[in-house]
Every structure is written in C-alpha cells, then in structure tokens.
Amino acid sequence: VLGKKTIDMDLLDDLEEVLITSDLGVRTTQTLLQRVTEKIKRKELKEPEKLREQLRQEIQSILDVPSPPLDLSAQHPFVIMVVGVNGVGKTTTIGKLAHQFKGEGRKVMLAACDTFRAAAVEQLVLWGERAHVPVIRQKSGSDPSAVAFDAMDAAVSRHMDVLLLDTAGRMHTKVNLMEELKKVHRTLQRKMEWAPHEIWLVLDATTGQNALSQARLFKETIGVTGLILTKLDGTAKGGIAVAICDELQIPVRYIGIGESLEDLRPFDPQEFARAIF
Amino acid sequence: NLSDRLQKVFKYLKGQGKLTEENIQEALREVRMALLEADVHFKVAKDFVSGVASRAVGQEVLQSLTPGQQVIKIVNEDLTRLMGGKAEPLKLTGKLPNGIMMVGLQGSGKTTSTAKLALKLSRETRRPCLVPADVHRPAAIDQLVTLGKQLNLPVYASRTDQKPEEIVKAAFAFAREHNCDTLLVDTAGRLHVDDELMGELDRVKSIVEPSEILLVADAMTGQDAVQVADTFHDRLGITGVVLTKLDGDARGGAALSIRAVTDCPIKYIGMGEKLDALEVFHPDRMASRILG
Ligand SMILES: Nc1nc2c(ncn2[C@@H]2O[C@H](COP(=O)(O)OP(=O)(O)OP(=O)(O)O)[C@@H](O)[C@H]2O)c(=O)[nH]1
Ligand SMILES: Nc1nc2c(ncn2[C@@H]2O[C@H](COP(=O)(O)OP(=O)(O)OP(=O)(O)O)[C@@H](O)[C@H]2O)c(=O)[nH]1
Ligand SMILES: [Mg+2]
Ligand SMILES: [Mg+2]
C-alpha cells in the first residue's frame, strides 16, 4: 500500500485487503471504499496518502459515536452490568475496571453473578483481592439474580460508589440463558429505579463477523450502553467494532491490552483507526 | 443466502451448454463474498475460489441441477475435501502414558476442552489423568480440579508456586501412581506473538513428548486465525485442532483458514459448556455451515 504514486485499481484492491483482514467485514469495507471512490471520481482525492488519510477519518468518525460522557458520580451506587459470550474477558476486565475506578477515589464493590462455571466465583474473588475491593458472592449453583439482589443491598448499606456485576458467559443464541440475564436485569431495576446505569458488552478483538450478531442480540434482549474490546495486545485489529458502531450506535468505552490489573485503556477512535492503516 | 444469490447470477444461463470463464465470474464473486462473510481469511478465500474456477470452467451444465446448484456442489465438495475429507481420530501411540497438550489463545476453551476430552477418552476405555499446567490465570488450577472431581478422574494437585515444567515432570509419576495411560495437559492461554510464553510451551513439549498437540481455537475467530495457527504450528508443531463454541451462530470460516495454513486436521468440535459437548469433526457439515 505504501509507495504508490497514483490511485489505481491495485491500490483500491490493497486497501480492500487491509480493511477485510482487519475484520471490518465485506459490507462496511464496500461502503467505505464506495465513499472514497466517489471522491476520487469527483477529483476530490488524487494522492494515495490522502486516500488513506480519508479512510482513517471515515473510520474514526464512525467510531466516535455521539454519547453522553460517563459520569460515575451521577448515581449512588453507580451500577454496571458486564455481559458477553464465553471467554471474551469479562471477569478479568471487571478486575481492571475496579482498579481503575478505585484509583479515581471511588469505593468499588464486585458481584459474582456467574454461579455456573467451575471456579468462576474463585476467579473473581482473586481479582477482588488484587484490586482491594469487596466481592459479594453466594455458593456455586445459586441463582444469579439472588446474588444481584444481595449485592444491591450491600452496595447501598456500605455506601459504595460503583457496583460491578460479573455474569456468566453465554451464547447470545441461547434463549434460556438470555432469559436468565433478563431476570438479573429486572432484579436490579426493581432494587433501584434507573439501575443498571450501564450495561457493557465485552467483545474479544479476535472475533470476526459474529461479534455483530452478538451485539445485535444482546442489545435487543437487555440493551447495551457500551462496548469493551479486549485482547487488542494480540495481532487482531478488532475492525468489527466499526460495523457495530455504525449499525448500532453503541460507544466503545474501554479496551483491554493485556492480562494484568493495569491493562485497561479508555477507547481512542483515532488511535484505533491509525492501527488499521 | 448463497443459493439464492447464485440463482440470480445464473438466471440467464438456462440452455447454454457449458460453465464458461465469463458466466461463472459473477458466481465466483458471490462465493468469495460468502466465504469472507463467514470469516474465511482474505487470501485463503482467494486461493480457494481460483481452485473452484479451474474445476468449474468447461463443465457441462448438468440436466439434473441448475447452474447455481452445480457451482454450489463444486464449492461444497472442494471445501469438504480441503478440510480433511473424513474424520481423523487421535493418534495415541508410543510409550505410556501418552501425552496430549492443549494450547491456544486466551479464553478459547482449553481448560473446558481438556476435561471434555478426558471424559470422552475414559468412555473409550482409556485411563486419562488431568494436569493443570496453567499457573498464571487466577483460579485456573481450581477450575480444572473442579472439573476433574465432577468427572471422578484423577487431577494432579498443581500449585501456583510451581513452574509448568516442574508440574508436567511430576505428572508422570502421578500418572503411574494412578495407573493412567493418558496425560491431558492444560496450558495457560497465550499470545502467539509472546515469544517468552511460546518458548515456555516448547520446554513443556520437550518434557511431555506428547503424542498430540491440539490447538484449541474459537469458532468465532476472524481473520486473525491464520496468523495464530501459522505461528503455533511453526513454533510447536500442531498435530490437530479443537474448534470450540460451535453451538453459537458463528459461521466458522476459521476452520478453513486454519486447515489451509497448517494442513492439520480438526479432530473435535466443542458444542456447548457441558462436559459431554465434544463431538467428532465432520468436514461436510462444516462446509455447509461455512457456506451459510
Ligand atoms: N492478552 C489478553 N488476554 C486477556 C485480556 N482480557 C482477558 N484476557 C484473558 O482472557 C482469558 C479469559 O478471560 P476471562 O476474564 O475469564 O473471560 P470471561 O469472559 O469472564 O470468561 P467466561 O466467564 O468463562 O465467559 C483469561 O486468560 C484472561 O487473562 C486482554 O485484554 N488481553
Ligand atoms: N458455549 C460454549 N462455551 C464453551 C465451549 N468451550 C468452552 N466454553 C466456555 O468458554 C469459556 C472459556 O473456557 P475456558 O476453558 O476457561 O478457556 P481457556 O482457553 O482455558 O481460557 P484461558 O485458560 O484463560 O486461556 C468458559 O465459559 C467455557 O465454559 C463450547 O464449546 N461452547
Ligand atoms: Mg468470567
Ligand atoms: Mg484455561
């Protein structure tokens, strides 16, 4: 792609390859290339470097979903539900978020609502110890909604600023598991009028087009107010985020760049677009 | 879906004798799009489609099928053949206990698949024991110990203050004590670009001398599947693949990408979180799924 002197078919083919191999997907890639092709036809774009810059700008503006700034002080406690399919990094991300929010001077509490998977509660308890925050839990096999109920009581009585709820990984296509998630959601709503204040869907950056299906179904079932893209320290570009932001208008709030407590960054659309080109 | 799109492409082809370069150009474009939408890698999709082109051009348009159906038939056959043609079993040979190493990226399903495989082997009258060699992830050892207890199979009691190399070394004596003929080694998830951790895996391999090194890969993996599989295979020598989470709605194009770049067979697929949700891989079923 570098070193091209004129815009020609080869350059557009190369750009198509960059976009597809970054997981933007066929449809988003075609839309973006069509937009720049229009500009080329109208002689508004003549040089290859300008073309790449234009694409970067397009990607950045799609990712810049207009959304109210996150204000965790607006509610007491501020309740955040963390959801997503299996293995994407929900539990680890909650550990990182707890560390982040605690560093901002807030009192944070975690709720172990994954009562299903082997050692899920133990895993969150260890993260709670690393971040020095309390974890509300019940014995394995108990109802996730019961843990959510208890956690809300504890967060209020102990004057917590933020409550983060970890949920079990689940396929968005499994109706009974999505029903279980709805029940946790309803439990929170009944305990506090506007809770949960945020529902964050965690997506693995190595995931391809299926991430769009995940985002659509989670949004449709319980509503999603933010995305977290993990494992960006690998070689995957996470380009499916562009398709998701475009279609569903959900902002990416944070990215995960590793397995340790500090490996969390606020999302930067410009940096993300740069990493693709 | 692809059949409908190919029907459209070919609706003026009735009564023309052969599939020619021109009349299948558009059809092949649709096939390539379908593969990319299914997460097949860009280059793998390109190579695959040119393979289909050379098979299709010059074929007589058959009486029994529409041209669209004919192209799909060729694509399906090529996909099935590329992904291994038939199911391939584990090769557990040599001195006992036979070692099986489960490797791959973070969160792909290694620990769960290790337990699932242990259950399957025990039902096939082998005597497996589980070896938790992940000392990095919080409660990883706990996770495999819990699963082993559910299955009533022996699990070596690793501790987080041990090195993976020490754990697998000690696991041999453990296997002999419990009269086990198979060692199932669960390793920590790691990035293919983490040189140090890939080196660790190499050291574990030289101690275990495994009969099988299975790359556990997530069926929803996108374009990255090629880089990951290529690097793991290059550095370790993969002998097979376990493709997990096929109970979701991911098309699973990663299956084709991984096979294309490593030529290693997918031996099992994960079809759920329960420990009996491990099935033998069928290339023809995967082909239909990828094509949507
Ligand atoms: N490299 C890397 N690994 C990560 C990142 N986030 C999470 N992980 C790893 O991904 C694996 C899965 O993380 P979990 O937090 O257990 O994922 P989960 O979504 O809670 O999984 P389930 O509860 O089983 O659905 C662990 O090995 C984590 O260390 C990240 O940003 N980068
Ligand atoms: N739905 C579904 N979930 C699966 C499947 N295989 C594994 N899982 C789930 O995926 C998540 C991650 O599985 P693990 O076995 O912890 O993955 P791992 O590769 O050992 O993770 P790390 O050790 O952190 O790298 C868990 O929630 C599992 O229950 C599958 O075939 N289908
Ligand atoms: Mg979890
Ligand atoms: Mg594991």
Side-chain angles (χ1 to χ4, degrees):
Chain A
V1 185
L2 301 160
K4 290 260 174 181
K5 295 275 185 305
T6 55
I7 292 177
D8 57 11
M9 209 54 230
D10 278 348
L11 177 59
L12 289 173
D13 282 352
D14 287 346
L15 291 172
E16 182 199 35
E17 183 168 352
V18 170
L19 294 173
I20 298 267
T21 55
S22 301
D23 282 314
L24 268 81
V26 172
R27 214 179 62 192
T28 305
T29 297
Q30 284 176 342
T31 308
L32 288 173
L33 289 180
Q34 262 162 24
R35 282 187 206 162
V36 293
T37 306
E38 285 307 306
K39 295 211 150 98
I40 294 169
K41 286 208 180 104
R42 296 197 297 263
K43 308 280 198 212
E44 292 169 13
L45 266 180
K46 299 214 187 81
E47 304 136 42
E49 188 42 47
K50 288 276 184 287
L51 176 54
R52 292 174 69 204
E53 182 53 33
Q54 182 65 33
L55 276 170
R56 253 184 244 128
Q57 284 295 337
E58 295 276 356
I59 290 171
Q60 187 181 326
S61 71
I62 293 174
L63 294 170
D64 234 328
V65 174
S67 41
L70 206 51
D71 178 17
L72 299 182
S73 328
Q75 306 285 345
H76 288 280
F78 195 102
V79 182
I80 303 172
M81 218 174 137
V82 177
V83 304
V85 304
N86 308 75
V88 294
K90 299 176 292 300
T91 306
T92 307
T93 300
I94 287 173
K96 297 173 184 177
L97 289 168
H99 177 70
Q100 166 79 26
F101 298 154
K102 190 145 196 290
E104 294 168 4
R106 309 176 198 281
K107 293 180 68 185
V108 183
M109 172 177 272
L110 309 182
C113 298
D114 179 354
T115 54
F116 166 73
R117 206 208 68 210
V121 172
E122 287 72 9
Q123 185 186 7
L124 188 69
V125 165
L126 284 168
W127 278 110
E129 288 175 8
R130 288 180 181 185
H132 307 295
V133 300
V135 181
I136 300 299
R137 53 173 297 184
Q138 287 183 11
K139 64 181 181 2
S140 137
S142 45
D143 183 351
S145 300
V147 183
F149 189 97
D150 277 0
M152 286 297 281
D153 282 344
V156 169
S157 69
R158 290 163 65 170
H159 308 291
M160 290 293 152
D161 297 316
V162 185
L163 174 63
L164 286 156
L165 296 111
D166 189 16
T167 61
R170 70 202 65 224
M171 283 304 164
H172 46 301
T173 47
K174 299 205 168 140
V175 177
N176 58 329
L177 295 183
M178 295 305 274
E179 282 303 313
E180 174 188 90
L181 205 57
K182 275 194 200 161
K183 187 165 172 230
V184 172
H185 188 207
R186 277 197 302 277
T187 304
L188 298 171
Q189 281 176 324
R190 285 186 195 138
K191 287 299 249 176
M192 186 177 178
E193 195 175 0
W194 298 107
H197 307 103
E198 290 282 333
I199 300 178
W200 289 346
L201 174 65
V202 179
L203 299 168
D204 186 329
T206 64
T207 304
Q209 301 308 296
N210 196 246
L212 184 52
S213 167
Q214 294 170 25
R216 282 180 188 142
L217 279 178
F218 273 94
K219 177 171 188 213
E220 192 179 309
T221 314
I222 52 157
V224 173
T225 60
L227 304 173
I228 299 184
L229 202 52
T230 62
K231 309 181 196 174
L232 276 170
D233 46 318
T235 49
K237 292 282 162 33
I240 193 62
V242 182
I244 296 173
C245 288
D246 198 25
E247 181 178 318
L248 302 174
Q249 293 295 304
I250 308 171
V252 180
R253 292 298 191 179
Y254 293 97
I255 61 170
I257 55 164
E259 302 189 72
S260 310
L261 211 52
E262 309 84 12
D263 292 331
L264 186 78
R265 298 281 179 277
F267 180 66
D268 180 344
Q270 183 176 57
E271 192 175 31
F272 189 91
R274 282 248 139 77
I276 293 180
F277 276 108
Chain B
N1 66 21
L2 184 61
S3 339
D4 303 332
R5 296 197 290 200
L6 290 184
Q7 286 285 63
K8 279 219 205 100
V9 167
F10 281 121
K11 75 173 191 269
Y12 302 116
L13 186 57
K14 286 200 188 66
Q16 286 183 22
K18 286 189 199 294
L19 292 177
T20 66
E21 283 222 29
E22 293 78 41
N23 64 31
I24 64 169
Q25 199 70 279
E26 188 58 18
L28 292 179
R29 213 182 74 85
E30 290 295 338
V31 172
R32 186 173 153 258
M33 291 299 126
L35 294 176
L36 292 177
E37 286 163 359
D39 288 323
V40 174
H41 189 268
F42 188 88
K43 290 203 174 74
V44 173
K46 215 177 214 177
D47 292 343
F48 177 79
V49 166
S50 57
V52 170
S54 49
R55 268 242 284 148
V57 167
Q59 271 201 10
E60 298 287 338
V61 175
L62 301 175
Q63 294 293 3
S64 52
L65 300 172
T66 67
Q69 287 172 331
Q70 195 161 338
V71 171
I72 291 203
K73 180 162 175 294
I74 296 170
V75 171
N76 231 308
E77 288 170 354
D78 280 4
L79 264 181
T80 304
R81 191 166 21 90
L82 248 173
M83 286 196 294
K86 56 172 172 43
E88 272 201 50
L90 289 183
K91 291 202 175 70
L92 300 177
T93 56
K95 182 154 153 285
L96 297 180
N98 297 130
I100 302 174
M101 276 173 66
M102 309 292 279
V103 305
L105 292 181
Q106 291 90 345
S108 62
K110 296 176 293 301
T111 305
T112 310
S113 302
T114 303
K116 286 178 180 181
L117 194 49
L119 176 59
K120 187 172 272 305
L121 291 175
S122 67
R123 283 177 173 167
E124 291 168 3
T125 73
R126 287 198 70 109
R127 294 181 311 279
C129 69
L130 298 163
V131 184
D134 178 357
V135 296
H136 176 245
R137 166 173 155 159
I141 295 172
D142 210 332
Q143 188 184 1
L144 194 62
V145 166
T146 302
L147 295 177
K149 285 212 184 96
Q150 286 176 16
L151 297 177
N152 203 10
L153 290 172
V155 194
Y156 176 74
S158 315
R159 300 184 318 271
T160 53
D161 61 277
Q162 290 177 295
K163 282 216 171 81
E165 294 93 319
E166 296 171 52
I167 291 170
V168 295
K169 228 179 237 129
F172 279 98
F174 176 81
R176 278 192 292 277
E177 281 166 33
H178 291 265
N179 194 17
C180 291
D181 59 15
T182 319
L183 272 184
L184 279 159
V185 182
D186 180 25
T187 67
R190 68 204 62 218
L191 295 177
H192 51 301
V193 290
D194 187 327
D195 204 50
E196 199 184 312
L197 286 185
M198 292 303 284
E200 171 188 275
L201 220 42
D202 226 337
R203 290 194 296 281
V204 170
K205 175 187 176 185
S206 57
I207 296 169
V208 176
E209 296 183 316
S211 310
E212 292 270 1
I213 301 183
L214 301 179
L215 175 66
V216 180
D218 197 321
M220 51 188 178
T221 309
Q223 299 287 308
D224 205 39
V226 157
Q227 290 213 46
V228 175
D230 196 32
T231 309
F232 269 89
H233 190 46
D234 191 53
R235 290 224 36 181
L236 280 182
I238 304 296
T239 59
V241 177
V242 177
L243 197 62
T244 62
K245 308 180 200 170
L246 275 164
D247 48 312
D249 61 350
R251 296 261 292 270
L256 180 61
S257 304
I258 292 174
R259 176 82 204 215
V261 82
T262 63
D263 202 27
C264 288
I266 296 174
K267 303 214 166 180
Y268 296 104
I269 58 174
M271 286 294 286
E273 295 193 71
K274 300 221 171 70
L275 296 181
D276 56 5
L278 189 72
E279 298 174 11
V280 165
F281 175 70
H282 289 286
D284 53 343
R285 291 183 208 168
M286 192 75 220
S288 318
R289 179 180 180 131
I290 289 176
L291 290 179

